[in-house]
Amino acid sequence: MAVPGSPGLLRVLWLLAVFGAVSSLDSGMLFPRESSSREVKELSGLWGFRADKSPDRKQGFDEAWYKRPLAESGPVIDMPVPASYNDITQDPALRDFIGWVWYEREVVVPARWIADKGTRIVLRVGSAHYYSVTWVNGVKVTEHKGGHLPFEAEIGSLLRADPLTPCRITIAVNNTLTLDTLPPGTIQHMDDHTKYPEGFFIQNIYFDFFNYAGIHRAVLLYTTPKAYVDDITVVTDFSDNTGLVKYKVSVKGAASASLKVTLTDKDGHCVASSSEPSGVLTVVDVKLWWPYLMHENPAYLYSLEVRVLASNKGSTSEDVYALPVGIRTVSVTSSQFLINNKPFYFHGVNKHEDADIRGKGFDWPLVVKDFNLLKWLGANSFRTSHYPYAEEILQMCDRHGIVVIDECPGVGIKDIRSFGNASLTHHLFVMDELVRRDKNHPSVVMWSVANEPAAEMPPAEYYFKTLIKHTKALDPTRPVTYITDSNYARDKGAPFVDVICVNSYFSWYHDPGHLEVIPIQLSTQFESWYGKYQKPIIQSEYGADAVPGLHNDPPMMFTEEYQKAVLQSYHRVFDQKRKQYVIGELIWNFADFMTAQGITRVVGNKKGIFSRQRQPKSAAFILKERYWRLANETGKLPVWTKYPCSL
Ligand code: GCB
């Protein structure tokens, strides 16, 4: 985190010391962008698909379905990519399927990509849930564990080995969750044949959203020259009106290369440049990146263009990559969260990647609609509950000034066996992957390593101490937290976090129907946590289910009136404590979302202030009024926001 108030030289020295090198990953994961040296070919659309419904789900591997076109080994149906496969057909067995499914797509690769041996051809999958194996023309090119982060394989030499064969991509995806996956789960076989059919088994999960599966984000091919920009890391700071951009470029594929790094402003004017692979660029009259509703001109982005010139056996190649850069600092005191040394109050939401039909599949219309709703609401932030969201969503946050608490998929760590070494090792690896992907987003201001783990269990102390220390070493510039719902006196991980994030559902899961308990229970919650740790607190979840259109006065649970009343009671306490050490409030949830079937869920979780179709419930208007009031009090409205309510 930045050092508030320190002079310029100290800041540069501090910046020079911040690049951690503890990650176990040996390559970058830059978002694929087109440039004069790079092409991108999207493979979204219809893929061939088959679920392996054999009893042990191994038929596909036993018969090597990847070796031949999928249609040759059995029936194939159309499946859109990106999308979860669960809600696409009328087949209940596919909706609740557990095990391997197979996707296939034949691609025409531009001849010039193949002809030019100096071109790297990379296959990239934005995310596939949960475990994936990928083949190209029957040859395995990569395996990946984890459902929410990208993976890649370079496939140029494979395609060139047989240039006349079309490029057939096969991806097998398995959604099974075990004790050491993230999130964890268990498979339970029911062997009592007086009660269950032969071979019956279920997936137990310890989290509250549907375990949607499939290829959830774009699959694409992109090219780079042989010598290419593999990774860029940027850390920013400022002193008075001078901005500091510390950068580090890693180049691969060239024994020696010359570099040109140029920082340009929004109008395309060069403001600083260098020819070194790492250094600190200084920006005079800096325009800082500010959150939405905190400044008249929020979300100012510079562009860091990196050019790599390499020569090999007489021929030269150039790679160009441009990274958006927002210059801002983040720091935490015992009672405040500071962005650019100014107190920031989170008034925002928790979200899910979730919608009708497409499940967790990336969908631009939905993303843009959600951003319009966030702005309408006057929300300045959200938390990526309970897993990393698509990179395109973080790019929208960078561009619109929406502040993000970036959460890894450590949700539902409830079984003591999920605190073992295998789980911890995987969790550390996922943090490596997450920080590698999201480190350069100015909108990301804090890492959340988990949601509501069983933090009272004895192994939680070592687990969270290690995990948080590791995350801070990966990125010393951002605070780290995890989200707790446990009692402050029993929580083993809280001593290690920078910010206390606490979820509570008074008058819902506790004392259901008794709105009158909220003021006392919520005040006690805040006083207890602050009294013990003297760290700033975010109410990271609160809310109540409301079935859209269900009304009762006096308020009763599940009605829109009750949801409104819960919010209003919480808000009165927030208003007392936010003058002291409460630094934010995030409603649970932005929109209704799908869950597993159960006796407490009526076709999903209904705690959204918007329905799943993004229509407002009464509570949305309460929150909108509050957030705009908070914005008027604590921040500055953007210049274009003359009439915020008509947004
Ligand atoms: C929580 C969880 C969230 C649930 C929510 C609820 O504490 O973090 O995943 O959906 O409560 O509605 O029960």
Side-chain angles (χ1 to χ4, degrees):
M1 281 170 283
V3 205
S6 58
L9 179 62
L10 265 185
R11 280 173 186 276
V12 175
L13 290 176
W14 178 82
L15 267 182
L16 285 170
V18 291
F19 285 145
V22 292
S23 165
S24 57
L25 303 166
D26 58 4
S27 64
M29 190 56 72
L30 290 173
F31 185 78
R33 294 174 188 280
E34 288 182 322
S35 74
S36 54
S37 63
R38 294 176 174 228
E39 290 181 66
V40 176
K41 184 178 169 73
E42 270 240 27
L43 307 182
S44 300
L46 288 187
W47 286 53
F49 177 91
R50 184 188 312 139
D52 181 347
K53 292 186 179 162
S54 61
D56 61 3
R57 308 292 198 247
K58 276 171 51 201
Q59 191 182 352
F61 285 90
D62 292 345
E63 295 178 1
W65 287 354
Y66 49 89
K67 285 221 165 125
R68 293 174 298 148
L70 203 52
E72 290 181 16
S73 54
V76 168
I77 61 169
D78 285 343
M79 189 55 69
V81 170
S84 302
Y85 57 73
N86 310 76
D87 292 344
I88 298 294
T89 73
Q90 300 308 105
D91 177 3
L94 186 59
R95 178 166 203 274
D96 293 321
F97 186 76
I98 305 161
W100 290 102
V101 298
W102 292 71
Y103 286 81
E104 185 197 74
R105 161 95 195 243
E106 227 176 70
V107 185
V108 180
V109 180
R112 64 178 186 284
W113 290 11
I114 305 283
D116 179 2
K117 293 203 177 66
T119 295
R120 288 173 68 244
I121 306 173
V122 184
L123 169 64
R124 176 184 173 111
V125 180
S127 81
H129 187 73
Y130 175 81
Y131 195 96
S132 333
V133 186
T134 307
W135 297 263
V136 170
N137 294 338
V139 178
K140 186 163 114 183
V141 293
T142 184
E143 276 187 54
H144 185 259
K145 183 175 173 183
H148 310 275
L149 289 164
F151 52 92
E152 295 186 344
E154 197 183 330
I155 61 169
S157 49
L158 216 147
L159 297 180
R160 281 181 198 111
D162 197 356
L164 297 179
T165 314
C167 168
R168 182 169 45 84
I169 301 170
T170 314
I171 307 181
V173 187
N174 191 333
N175 61 349
T176 307
L177 301 177
T178 66
L179 284 167
D180 48 66
T181 56
L182 268 195
T186 51
I187 295 289
Q188 194 177 354
H189 292 268
M190 310 297 200
D191 297 328
D192 180 347
H193 299 317
T194 63
K195 289 187 177 162
Y196 301 101
E198 179 74 32
F200 187 85
F201 66 97
I202 55 165
Q203 168 79 72
N204 293 311
I205 50 172
Y206 313 105
F207 53 85
D208 182 37
F209 52 91
F210 191 75
N211 190 31
Y212 277 115
I215 302 180
H216 284 154
R217 297 181 193 149
V219 180
L220 45 87
L221 294 176
Y222 72 91
T223 65
T224 76
K226 217 173 209 133
Y228 63 101
V229 180
D230 172 56
D231 201 9
I232 305 172
T233 308
V234 159
V235 171
T236 64
D237 200 347
F238 66 95
S239 181
D240 301 324
N241 60 352
T242 303
L244 302 167
V245 177
K246 157 108 169 143
Y247 71 92
K248 185 171 158 191
V249 177
S250 112
V251 173
K252 282 202 170 156
S256 75
S258 67
L259 221 94
K260 179 87 184 152
V261 178
T262 316
L263 190 71
T264 51
D265 65 15
K266 257 195 172 150
D267 303 320
H269 300 129
C270 169
V271 294
S273 65
S274 163
S275 50
E276 298 300 324
S278 62
V280 180
L281 302 172
T282 53
V283 183
V284 291
D285 291 330
V286 63
K287 292 197 178 66
L288 297 178
W289 186 95
W290 289 96
Y292 174 55
L293 302 177
M294 200 176 173
H295 192 267
E296 300 89 336
N297 286 304
Y300 192 93
L301 291 174
Y302 292 86
S303 172
L304 186 81
E305 187 192 78
V306 177
R307 277 174 190 267
V308 171
L309 205 65
S311 41
N312 188 19
K313 294 180 193 145
S315 69
T316 58
S317 71
E318 186 181 48
D319 189 24
V320 183
Y321 190 91
L323 178 79
V325 170
I327 301 178
R328 59 106 184 91
T329 61
V330 174
S331 55
V332 168
T333 70
S334 64
S335 60
Q336 286 180 318
F337 195 97
L338 305 175
I339 295 183
N340 300 336
N341 302 332
K342 298 247 163 63
F344 176 75
Y345 186 76
F346 295 78
H347 44 92
V349 305
N350 290 277
K351 291 185 92 263
H352 262 299
E353 288 183 321
D354 175 272
D356 287 330
I357 304 172
R358 53 193 68 54
K360 291 201 176 306
F362 181 83
D363 181 40
W364 270 118
L366 183 75
V367 171
V368 175
K369 177 75 178 173
D370 281 4
F371 272 80
N372 287 333
L373 289 176
L374 286 170
K375 290 192 151 182
W376 174 88
L377 199 62
N380 64 3
S381 50
F382 67 78
R383 162 180 161 229
T384 69
S385 43
H386 292 302
Y387 38 80
Y389 292 179
E391 290 164 277
E392 291 87 341
I393 296 180
L394 296 181
Q395 289 162 7
M396 286 286 278
C397 291
D398 293 344
R399 292 178 44 238
H400 291 271
I402 301 293
V403 167
V404 176
I405 300 174
D406 200 351
E407 188 154 291
C408 95
V411 53
I413 307 176
K414 303 285 189 196
D415 187 307
I416 196 154
R417 291 166 294 174
S418 292
F419 285 100
N421 263 345
S423 300
L424 180 57
T425 306
H426 179 56
H427 207 147
L428 296 174
F429 185 75
V430 173
M431 287 314 301
D432 288 352
E433 286 192 326
L434 176 61
V435 173
R436 171 178 68 171
R437 193 195 73 163
D438 293 349
K439 62 190 170 186
N440 293 324
H441 289 286
S443 56
V444 173
V445 299
M446 181 153 65
W447 305 110
S448 161
V449 297
N451 178 68
E452 297 186 1
E456 70 287 357
M457 289 184 177
E461 182 169 351
Y462 174 74
Y463 193 96
F464 284 105
K465 188 176 173 180
T466 311
L467 189 58
I468 291 169
K469 200 169 149 206
H470 180 79
T471 309
K472 283 179 186 237
L474 286 171
D475 178 7
T477 70
R478 289 179 177 91
V480 182
T481 190
Y482 72 84
I483 315 294
T484 185
D485 67 338
S486 73
N487 186 306
Y488 73 99
R490 293 185 297 139
D491 197 288
K492 300 262 185 285
F496 311 111
V497 302
D498 296 309
V499 172
I500 305 279
C501 286
V502 55
N503 298 345
S504 56
Y505 289 91
F506 304 124
S507 88
W508 191 260
Y509 294 121
H510 315 279
D511 304 297
H514 289 285
L515 291 161
E516 64 276 26
V517 304
I518 294 175
I520 181 161
Q521 295 191 2
L522 188 57
S523 301
T524 306
Q525 166 198 284
F526 286 139
E527 292 299 311
S528 313
W529 280 101
Y530 195 72
K532 174 133 187 184
Y533 293 107
Q534 284 91 53
K535 292 179 185 178
I537 304 179
I538 296 178
Q539 180 74 38
S540 41
E541 287 181 25
Y542 71 105
D545 287 72
V547 177
L550 195 61
H551 294 285
N552 208 82
D553 188 60
M556 284 181 73
M557 291 178 78
F558 293 100
T559 64
E560 295 200 24
E561 287 71 20
Y562 195 88
Q563 187 184 37
K564 262 193 337 195
V566 168
L567 266 54
Q568 284 164 327
S569 300
Y570 266 77
H571 295 163
R572 281 191 279 275
V573 182
F574 295 159
D575 280 339
Q576 291 156 19
K577 304 293 178 190
R578 72 186 166 88
K579 310 266 159 41
Q580 301 168 29
Y581 49 78
V582 169
I583 57 159
E585 51 188 90
L586 305 175
I587 185 78
W588 189 263
N589 189 285
F590 173 73
D592 292 346
F593 58 91
M594 193 47 69
T595 63
Q597 298 185 59
I599 51 170
T600 59
R601 297 288 176 255
V602 190
V603 192
N605 186 309
K606 296 278 187 278
K607 292 195 186 70
I609 53 159
F610 296 102
S611 67
R612 201 181 191 208
Q613 295 70 35
R614 275 49 181 181
Q615 294 307 319
K617 302 180 193 172
S618 311
F621 297 96
I622 297 286
L623 213 60
K624 177 181 181 227
E625 202 191 308
R626 174 172 178 78
Y627 282 0
W628 280 104
R629 185 163 55 73
L630 287 172
N632 273 314
E633 223 179 274
T634 60
K636 286 199 181 118
L637 304 191
V639 278
W640 42 264
T641 319
K642 260 204 194 143
Y643 305 105
C645 295
S646 66
L647 268 180

